[in-house]
Amino acid sequence: MGYEEIKLLKQSGKSTVSLVKEEGGERLFIRKTLQGQHLVYQNLRELAHPYLPAVYEVSFDKDKTTVVEEYIEGRTVGSVKLSEKQCLTIVGELCDVLIFLHEKGIVHRDIKPSNILIAEDGHIRLIDFDAARMPKENADQDTVPLGTKGYAPPEQYGFSQTDERADIYAFGVTIKQLLGGNAGKQRYKRIFSKCTNLDPEKRYQSVRQIKKAFSYMWDWRAGILCAAATVLAAVILGKAFSDSVQRDVSSDGETDLIVLPAPENPHWDGETGIGLWGHVPESGVGRDQRYGWRLYRSDNKTPPDLEKDKWEREGEMSGNDLTTDFFDLNFAEEFWDNGFYYFSVCASGDGITYADSSYVLSDAFAFTGKDAPRLPAPEGLYWTMKQIGEDRYYFAAISNWEDYADQDSFNAIVYGEDREYVTNNISVKQFIFEKGWPGVRIRPEFVNVPGKSYRFAVQVLSSRPNEYRSSLPVEPCPGEAYLSPPLKIPNL
């Protein structure tokens, strides 16, 4: 493909970076010409992740490497003022993409605020792999010391070979910088100190350990599968304030936020174990509403005091269906003992314009199904495709729909070729059938890499929890018997 240069973005003795567009078209790309053989871009071309720019072309000519990659419209995290909550969202996404890269054997070696973009979709993109490398066996030190002073660890300057712990050092420096004055809070100090220890053996040994450390410190819900929306989109899109709801005046000097209205009428849907509450369309980001929930259990019907009593389970849920009177969530898999269950729910703000609402409490649900039999496992799993309008969607389907009630929910969890988690979608049987769908619709942006294969497993969440428990869980990764045949995305 031929390209027309639009603008020279950067030029140095090591690289030339230009904004280009395809000849005869309007699509924009980034083209880099780099000194030396940057083989890592060849690997990146074969990989896809929501928080990485796509690499389309890589070519080598003597001592030069030319790369054509996706143009990302956005701003660097270092160029915008971020709230503490926004920083925590960046932490979660940066952990996810580094875990992905490290599992593929790639060390970035230049983690810093200017290499992390907030894209228009509200999610980060980790850019600039010019210093990245694949660790070599039996090497004592890096061949070429690269990186940015102040962010790179000592070993990156030739003292020893770098591995993922170099990225962990730079991660700590970067997040500490983004948090600003909040970085001095006691709950963060231990994490940053361990990340940036001069001795690699005394740092966290993997990014998964960092993610776990943050989850302990903040009750961070990074493991909740449906909490996919981020709180960053308004940084780019400039979301306007509304004057119709209460302002939250902060005491620590941070920008005041608008407090969302609390969800109305939270209640149980009869004996289904499904919680219902009124929609708060302003919650979440973009089209996705987002809610936080807490679950309480008691031996008697006395309702909990939200100010004093500690909840026993919590999580988040997002969705974008405004056609129903209520937002719904099946709690069947969360019940652990017989008794009376209450849930409380809040509308989750984006942390930029909106603050979370207060929590409101449901009525009581009497659960007696601790020893009930499980629903049968889904059988005959298969992928199918359906054209809806101009778009093509893949569906996770099963062959034994008749074994389940109309209100049972189907949680389809998608895995990649190495059985790594990709995404999940939940749909109610009645909703699936009313739409005329063959199964659970999978969001297309997660199963779209040409030449790659995807498999899925399904857990059925019971809508009759006092008679049947949910089918067996299929996380974190099921055995072969519970997985669908692979779906291979055709090459374009």
Side-chain angles (χ1 to χ4, degrees), residues 110-393:
D110 202 14
I111 304 295
K112 57 184 178 181
S114 60
N115 282 340
I116 305 168
L117 295 180
I118 303 172
E120 286 187 319
D121 63 2
H123 297 280
I124 71 164
R125 300 295 190 277
L126 180 60
I127 63 170
D128 195 349
F129 283 76
D130 298 356
R133 70 187 299 273
M134 316 283 285
K136 302 174 183 177
E137 292 185 9
N138 302 319
D140 295 326
Q141 62 185 48
D142 292 349
T143 306
V144 180
L146 292 170
T148 301
K149 186 177 180 180
Y151 296 92
E155 66 268 23
Q156 204 160 315
Y157 293 100
F159 293 101
S160 62
Q161 185 184 196
T162 52
D163 55 24
E164 63 190 82
R165 295 172 297 183
D167 284 347
I168 288 170
Y169 182 98
F171 175 101
V173 177
T174 296
I175 301 303
K176 184 177 181 179
Q177 181 178 335
L178 295 181
L179 278 168
N182 289 312
K185 294 180 178 180
Q186 190 61 39
R187 61 178 175 267
Y188 303 135
K189 285 183 176 179
R190 180 183 63 83
I191 296 176
F192 294 139
S193 176
K194 191 172 180 67
C195 283
T196 58
N197 196 297
L198 295 180
D199 182 353
E201 296 297 328
K202 294 181 180 179
R203 292 177 207 153
Y204 292 106
Q205 298 301 292
S206 72
V207 179
R208 289 188 185 278
Q209 292 179 352
I210 300 178
K211 189 171 182 178
K212 188 174 183 179
F214 275 109
S215 70
Y216 285 151
M217 300 302 292
W218 306 316
D219 285 331
W220 181 31
R221 290 99 169 195
I224 303 299
L225 297 178
C226 294
T230 80
V231 300
L232 297 172
V235 172
I236 301 301
L237 302 178
K239 182 184 286 186
F241 281 90
S242 165
D243 296 324
S244 61
V245 288
Q246 175 187 352
R247 292 292 182 99
D248 180 26
V249 181
S250 61
S251 59
D252 58 3
E254 292 191 1
T255 304
D256 297 348
L257 301 179
I258 302 170
V259 178
L260 287 170
E264 294 184 354
N265 191 22
H267 63 282
W268 295 102
D269 184 12
E271 299 298 312
T272 64
I274 297 173
L276 303 174
W277 57 85
H279 295 284
V280 182
E282 303 91 343
S283 66
V285 172
R287 296 185 304 118
D288 284 339
Q289 302 172 65
R290 188 176 180 181
Y291 302 93
W293 57 264
R294 295 169 176 172
L295 193 63
Y296 304 79
R297 181 203 163 276
S298 176
D299 290 328
N300 56 60
K301 209 172 180 179
T302 303
D305 184 333
L306 299 187
E307 297 296 325
K308 297 179 180 179
D309 295 332
K310 179 68 176 176
W311 59 91
E312 299 190 61
R313 301 277 173 90
E314 69 171 339
E316 291 187 350
M317 184 64 184
S318 64
N320 55 28
D321 183 11
L322 285 168
T323 62
T324 59
D325 293 333
F326 296 100
F327 195 97
D328 62 90
L329 175 61
N330 189 316
F331 283 94
E333 190 62 13
E334 303 296 336
F335 303 141
W336 65 93
D337 200 358
N338 293 337
F340 293 92
Y341 285 83
Y342 291 82
F343 71 88
S344 63
V345 62
C346 78
S348 297
D350 57 12
I352 301 167
T353 300
Y354 294 107
D356 296 353
S357 76
S358 59
Y359 278 85
V360 285
L361 188 66
S362 72
D363 54 351
F365 172 67
F367 176 64
T368 59
K370 177 183 178 182
D371 298 319
R374 286 194 179 272
L375 288 172
E379 298 176 356
L381 278 60
Y382 64 98
W383 286 100
T384 185
M385 187 271 288
K386 183 174 182 178
Q387 196 81 19
I388 301 178
E390 297 181 356
D391 298 317
R392 181 176 63 181
Y393 291 93

Side-chain angles (χ1 to χ4, degrees), residues 405-425:
D406 286 348
Q407 293 303 310
D408 288 346
S409 299
F410 293 77
N411 183 17
I413 306 170
V414 180
Y415 299 93
E417 293 176 327
D418 298 323
R419 297 200 183 183
E420 73 279 11
Y421 167 79
V422 174
T423 187
N424 78 298
N425 291 100

